[in-house]
Amino acid sequence: MSGFGRAECVALRGLEGVGVQIEVHASSGLPVVHIVGLPGPAVQQARHRTWSAIARMGLTAPSGRVVINLTPASLPKAGTHFDLAMAIAVLRASGVVPPDDEATALLGELGLDGRLRPVAGTLPLARAAAEAGMTRLVVPTASADEASLVAGLRVLGAPSLAHAAALLGAELEPEPVEPVLADPVPARAHAALDLADVVGNRDAVDALEVAAAGAHHLMMVGPPGAGKTMLAMRLPGILPPLTQVQALDVASLRSLSGEPAAPTLDLLPPFEHPHHSATAVSLIGGGSGAIRPGAAARATHGVLFLDEAPEFPRTVLDMLRQPLESGTITVHRAAGAASFPARFQLLLAANPCPCGQFGSGDCTCAPQQRRRYFGRLSGPLLDRVDLQVRVDRVVPGVDGERHRRTTADAASRVTEARARAAHRLHGTEWTAMGHVPGPWLRRSLPLDRALLAPLERALETGSLTMRGLDRTVRVAWTMADLDAVASPSLTHIGRALALRKGIPA
């Protein structure tokens, strides 16, 4: 007796998906199962989950020789999301499930009892299925809301293999089963924080607003307890809300990282805050099996905050230099490469010296210790940071309770400045001045030589690089947008240059 069945699934390379067709050929002979097509360890183990689940659901599986082929055969396959498609293809080979007349993709992990479990990356997998031409998607019940965020797909949730088979036309009346529930969505700590909580440090608040208005990178230096982390956690609240496409990118990256997805898209920009013990893989991405995004990729369209920045390994920090320029991260492994978006705002915080008291107390550090401490931040990395600001401890009575800038006030000014920049950049791929490359800026938005004179003098003395000059001009344009003027003035150039060189050595 022989039979043939097939089912559709998808594989991921980063956030990009590739359609995978699973073919099953069952024939007479000794009972053995061969899985071919570069299956990873989790896919190889699917044979045990599949045959156990089919038996527990009271269904019939082929009893002879079975060959399962995953095409394209040249693409490595990793993950447990192939389980459901593999099981349905096996049931089609045995005649339990009829052939599919609709372009249907199947995603889900099987338990030995036949129940379907959610898998990491459901959202990007669903997006890949839609891009591959699928019109219907069957997923575990717990993943149905997440997959439904993708337009153009009819999503069907199934609690078990038997229920999925019935949805695909099998003549079954599956018994009710308790579906596997998804993990609860954690609350976002920075979602309800207000800038009005910040007392004093108006220069730092101004710099934070400039950073938000132009998507500029910022570094804050100050003693412990000055409020650097407090300021950093309020930056997402004054950034413009995400667009639907951006929110879908952010949700896809979080889903791929294994985080539970909310039933609706969150338009608040993400905020990633890795510890200074983070490894290169946790910051950039990677893994021994499937390549997962790191903190830099998960911060896409939001903020990557590195507190105690000099405590990070220098080699790890320097890995951010390429994504800061290109806005993408490509992770290469022996099995292939995966690319992730990485258009984030870098926010660094540091103490002024190892003891933290330089400039605000009794510092016990020698000058060479201070230089060595900041030497952990390489010059090429700092050259990509647009703004540097000192954050001092607040003296009692300073700033009082009046005239504090609220998140709503700052967000309104940022939104208006971004709108002016977007109007200026209409017809380009950029929407914020911080994203504009130097050659385009010099060619399309030239400034008078008199305005550039202070920058050229800094360039001649070596205190400013050509990249730094371009970034300073971009900050000046952002300040002009915040002031609602048509172009930067000499005052804007001076302020931008002061913020560029704001931290004394």
Side-chain angles (χ1 to χ4, degrees):
M1 177 181 177
S2 65
F4 184 82
R6 62 165 54 97
E8 304 292 337
C9 194
V10 288
L12 288 177
R13 291 183 297 190
L15 279 187
E16 297 179 359
V18 178
V20 174
Q21 188 174 83
I22 299 176
E23 301 171 321
V24 174
H25 179 224
S27 59
S28 58
L30 294 175
V32 62
V33 178
H34 297 288
I35 303 178
V36 297
L38 293 184
V43 182
Q44 285 282 10
Q45 295 166 1
R47 72 184 76 181
H48 307 294
R49 296 189 294 270
T50 297
W51 260 256
S52 176
I54 289 175
R56 288 297 302 270
M57 292 282 101
L59 305 175
T60 303
S63 57
R65 182 174 184 271
V66 178
V67 178
I68 302 175
N69 182 37
L70 291 79
T71 60
S74 60
L75 175 71
K77 320 297 188 306
T80 58
H81 66 276
F82 292 99
D83 287 8
L84 177 58
M86 196 177 298
I88 293 298
V90 168
L91 292 175
R92 282 179 175 150
S94 62
V96 176
V97 178
D100 193 10
D101 295 329
E102 188 175 350
T104 304
L106 302 114
L107 306 171
E109 177 185 326
L110 283 173
L112 296 182
D113 58 357
R115 290 193 299 170
L116 289 173
R117 302 175 180 275
V119 293
T122 294
L123 183 55
L125 286 166
R127 295 176 72 182
E131 292 169 359
M134 300 292 109
T135 59
R136 185 170 62 168
L137 180 67
V138 180
V139 296
T141 300
S143 300
D145 288 342
E146 180 180 349
S148 297
L149 296 175
V150 179
L153 276 178
R154 185 160 64 94
V155 178
L156 304 176
S160 71
L161 174 60
H163 285 80
L167 289 173
L168 296 172
E171 296 181 358
L172 302 172
E173 292 185 5
E175 297 181 0
V177 297
E178 189 70 23
V180 178
L181 300 179
D183 294 331
V185 180
R188 303 181 68 180
H190 63 287
L193 301 178
D194 200 296
L195 198 60
D197 297 333
V198 178
V199 178
N201 278 309
R202 293 190 180 184
D203 288 344
V205 173
D206 289 341
L208 201 71
E209 191 175 275
V210 172
H216 300 292
H217 308 305
L218 170 65
M219 180 174 180
M220 297 181 290
V221 176
K228 301 184 296 295
T229 302
M230 188 178 190
L231 281 161
M233 295 186 69
R234 282 151 180 79
L235 178 55
I238 65 176
L239 290 173
L242 301 178
T243 65
Q244 291 290 316
V245 174
Q246 290 173 338
L248 200 56
D249 285 341
V250 171
S252 296
L253 288 162
R254 294 191 174 280
S255 177
L256 196 56
S257 300
E259 298 182 22
T264 58
L265 289 177
D266 189 351
L267 302 184
L268 181 67
F271 182 82
E272 288 291 323
H273 184 188
H275 190 261
H276 58 73
S277 62
T279 62
V281 170
S282 65
L283 188 63
I284 299 299
S288 56
I291 300 176
R292 301 299 186 196
R298 294 195 302 272
T300 292
H301 308 308
V303 178
L304 176 63
F305 176 47
L306 304 184
D307 200 4
E308 306 292 346
E311 300 296 338
F312 282 78
R314 179 167 175 167
T315 54
V316 173
L317 289 177
D318 281 346
M319 288 183 177
L320 295 174
R321 286 155 54 179
Q322 184 265 337
L324 285 174
E325 293 291 336
S326 65
T328 60
I329 290 176
T330 301
V331 181
H332 293 271
R333 292 292 182 268
S339 294
F340 303 102
R343 182 66 73 183
F344 56 84
Q345 278 187 255
L346 180 62
L347 191 52
L348 303 175
N351 293 327
C353 63
C355 77
Q357 303 303 319
F358 180 66
S360 60
D362 296 327
C363 177
T364 60
C365 304
Q368 60 267 29
Q369 287 179 295
R370 293 196 294 270
R371 287 194 296 269
R372 191 181 308 119
Y373 181 70
F374 270 97
R376 299 175 187 177
L377 303 175
S378 69
L381 176 65
L382 290 178
D383 200 35
R384 290 165 168 82
V385 177
D386 305 317
L387 309 167
Q388 299 184 21
V389 66
R390 172 84 186 192
V391 181
D392 290 310
R393 291 196 182 105
V394 177
V395 178
V398 171
D399 205 31
E401 295 295 326
R402 298 178 300 169
H403 309 303
R404 294 193 196 169
R405 202 171 315 172
T406 66
T407 290
D409 294 339
S412 176
R413 282 172 45 81
V414 167
T415 299
E416 292 174 2
R418 286 277 186 122
R420 295 184 185 97
H423 178 74
R424 180 185 309 116
L425 300 173
H426 180 70
T428 72
E429 59 182 292
W430 313 293
T431 57
M433 293 307 299
H435 299 156
V436 177
W440 187 94
L441 183 69
R442 293 191 296 273
R443 182 177 62 253
S444 303
L445 297 174
L447 294 179
D448 187 85
R449 289 296 299 272
L451 292 177
L452 296 177
L455 305 182
E456 292 176 347
R457 285 195 296 270
L459 191 64
E460 291 171 358
T461 60
S463 60
L464 200 64
T465 65
M466 195 63 203
R467 179 193 289 119
L469 187 148
D470 290 336
R471 289 182 174 273
T472 304
V473 171
R474 289 188 294 189
V475 172
W477 275 103
T478 298
M479 290 176 172
D481 289 333
L482 283 168
D483 291 343
V485 296
S487 63
S489 65
L490 195 58
T491 300
H492 295 130
I493 295 290
R495 288 173 56 202
L497 185 58
L499 282 171
R500 175 79 189 178
K501 303 161 61 177
I503 306 300

